[in-house]
Amino acid sequence: MNADAIQGGTTAAAHPNLALVKYWGQRQAALNLPLNNSISLNLDGATTHTTVMFDTTLPHDRVVINQALASPAAAQRVSAHLDRIRAIAGVDTRALVISHNDFPAEAGVASSAAAFAALTLAATHALGLQFDDRRLSALARLGSGSACRSIPDGFVEWVAAEADEDSYAYAIAPCGHWDLNVTTIFFGSHAKEVSSLEGHRAADTSPFFTTRMAGIDTTLERVRSAILRRDLLELGLLIEREAISLHVIAMTSQPPERPWMSGIYYWQPQTLDLIQRVQQWRRQGLQVYFTLDAGPSVHLIYEEDDRASILAHVTPAIAELGAGVIHSRPGRGAWLVPLDEVPAPALDPTCRM
Ligand code: DP6
C-alpha cells in the first residue's frame, strides 16, 4: 500500500482528558463500566489524529501508531474495537489504522482516551454510521473507559450506569465556559509498572475504598457546582483531595497478580516535591492547584489572569527538576478532520524502523 491509497481514509482527532473527579474502580470490567461518575476537562495542548481506511484487499487490520507498527497487544486492542464497530455496521472488512500523537508518551496524559475517542469517530464515520455524541461516547468507553470523556466538548461528566448504553459522557459546560489553564509537568520515561486496568481491579481491596465511595456523590456535586460557578477556590482543594484519594486507594490496594506488593505507588520523588511546592506557592498567595492521575505527572490548574505570576514560579521549578511540560486550556470534543488539515504522520502508512 502506498501513501496515495490512504487518501480514501477518514480522519478524526481528539484531545486527552484530565479527570477532576476520578474514575477508579469498575462495576464491570468487560464493558468498562465504572463504579462512580467522574468529571473531566479536555486538554487542548495534546491531540491524537487517527485515520481509518477500510479496504477489502487487506487480509487483517494493520495498525500504525506514531509511525511504527503497533505492538501485538496494542494492535489487538484496536482490532477488538473495530470488531465492535464492524458488528454494528454488519461488515467484515479489515482496516488500515494510522494514529499519531503530538505529545510524548511519557507525558502522563491519557493517550488511550484520545486514541479510542478518535478511532471510534473515524471508524463509525468511515462505515457510514451516523451516531450522536451519546452513542459515540458509550462506544468509545468499550475501547478505553476514560475515552468516553474525550467525545463531548469541554467540561464533561461520565455517568456510571449498569447498562452498556446508559454509561456515557456529556458536556456539563462548553470549553469556552472557563478560561482555565492546565500545565502538565512530567519527569522522563518512568514506565508504569501497574496499568490503570490492574489498578481498577485492585481498588476494592483497599480498606479505604468504601469511605471513598461513601463521599463520592458529595464530591461530584461540589465539583460540578464549582465548575458551573467558575469558583477555583472551591474547586482547587476539592480536586487535590480527590487526586490524593485515588492514590491512597492505590497505595493500599492489593493487585491480585502481584502478591509481593503491599500497594501501588505511581509517584516519583518529583511528584511529592511539586505537591509541596504548590502548597508553598498558595501560602504565598498564588491560586494554583494540582491533580494527579495514575502516574507520576503533576497537572497544575489555574486561571488565565494568574498565568504570568504562576509561570514565574513554575518555569524555574520545571527547569530545576529537568521536567517536560505541556500547556493546555479546556478543549473541544472529538472531531472529524478534513483531508487537507490532517498532519502528514497521520496519513503515512509506512513505518520507521
Ligand atoms: C487514573 O481505564 O480509562 O486516569 O485505558 O489505561 O487509559 P487507560 O485508563 P482508564 O483509567 C483512567 C484512570 C485515571 C482516572 C480517570 O481518568 O478518571
Side-chain angles (χ1 to χ4, degrees):
M1 181 163 307
N2 61 44
D4 294 340
I6 198 66
Q7 301 286 324
T10 302
T11 304
H15 298 304
N17 63 78
L18 175 64
L20 302 177
V21 179
K22 309 293 180 181
Y23 153 48
W24 202 243
Q26 293 173 323
R27 183 190 302 265
Q28 227 239 65
L31 296 176
N32 287 338
L33 290 172
L35 277 167
N36 61 276
N37 284 24
S38 52
I39 295 179
S40 62
L41 74 162
N42 294 327
L43 299 178
D44 82 347
T47 306
T48 299
H49 282 85
T50 300
T51 301
V52 178
M53 192 179 73
F54 288 92
D55 180 345
T56 48
T57 66
L58 283 176
H60 47 73
D61 294 324
R62 179 179 158 86
V63 183
V64 177
I65 300 176
N66 291 335
Q67 298 182 293
L69 209 55
S71 69
Q76 159 56 29
R77 202 168 160 194
V78 168
S79 277
H81 198 58
L82 290 175
D83 285 345
R84 293 177 188 113
I85 296 168
R86 281 188 279 250
I88 299 169
V91 299
D92 194 33
T93 315
R94 305 290 108 182
L96 169 64
V97 175
I98 306 168
S99 195
H100 184 258
N101 301 329
D102 70 357
F103 52 97
E106 67 270 24
V109 296
S111 55
S112 59
F116 279 96
L119 177 67
T120 303
L121 181 57
T124 51
H125 201 267
L127 289 177
L129 300 168
Q130 302 286 336
F131 287 170
D132 61 13
D133 272 7
R134 173 176 169 161
R135 183 126 194 233
L136 284 171
S137 173
L139 189 52
R141 192 202 75 237
L142 297 169
S144 158
S146 53
C148 70
R149 295 190 311 231
S150 284
I151 295 285
D153 177 31
F155 297 82
V156 169
E157 180 156 358
W158 170 13
V159 183
E162 285 179 26
D164 176 17
E165 65 277 15
D166 294 336
S167 186
Y168 63 96
Y170 63 95
I172 55 177
C175 56
H177 165 72
W178 193 2
D179 209 357
L180 283 181
N181 281 239
V182 178
T183 295
T184 297
I185 305 175
F186 56 96
F187 322 103
S189 51
H190 299 285
K192 199 150 106 181
E193 196 189 338
V194 183
S195 67
S196 298
L197 190 66
E198 270 189 84
H200 286 301
R201 279 206 216 116
D204 66 359
T205 66
S206 164
F208 306 110
F209 192 64
T210 45
T211 308
R212 170 174 165 75
M213 293 308 284
I216 201 82
D217 283 343
T218 308
T219 305
L220 284 159
E221 173 55 39
R222 290 176 67 190
V223 166
R224 207 181 288 124
S225 158
I227 290 171
L228 294 177
R229 289 180 289 106
R230 301 186 195 90
D231 183 346
L232 187 60
L233 256 61
E234 165 80 356
L235 184 72
L237 292 181
L238 277 169
I239 64 168
E240 289 194 358
R241 291 207 182 93
E242 171 55 17
I244 298 302
S245 161
L246 181 157
H247 286 271
V248 165
I249 300 301
M251 287 176 193
T252 51
S253 299
Q254 175 69 71
E257 303 83 358
R258 300 169 192 265
W260 64 92
M261 275 191 172
S262 62
I264 308 167
Y265 289 80
Y266 288 115
W267 294 7
Q268 290 293 326
Q270 300 96 318
T271 313
L272 184 56
D273 181 319
L274 268 169
I275 289 172
Q276 289 177 327
R277 286 184 203 234
V278 170
Q279 296 209 350
Q280 192 57 34
W281 289 331
R282 274 211 303 278
R283 197 170 163 181
Q284 295 165 10
L286 297 177
Q287 287 309 312
V288 55
Y289 298 87
F290 69 82
T291 186
L292 316 162
D293 273 344
S297 302
V298 178
H299 307 268
L300 302 183
I301 298 188
Y302 52 93
E303 290 185 292
E304 177 65 20
D305 286 352
D306 299 328
R307 183 179 160 86
S309 56
I310 286 169
L311 289 184
H313 289 74
V314 170
T315 308
I318 291 170
E320 200 185 310
L321 295 170
V325 66
I326 297 175
H327 293 291
S328 303
R329 290 198 173 76
R332 64 196 287 202
W335 69 100
L336 289 165
V337 184
L339 186 60
D340 58 352
E341 292 173 21
V342 181
L347 286 176
D348 183 358
T350 55
C351 297
R352 288 205 195 115
M353 297 307 285

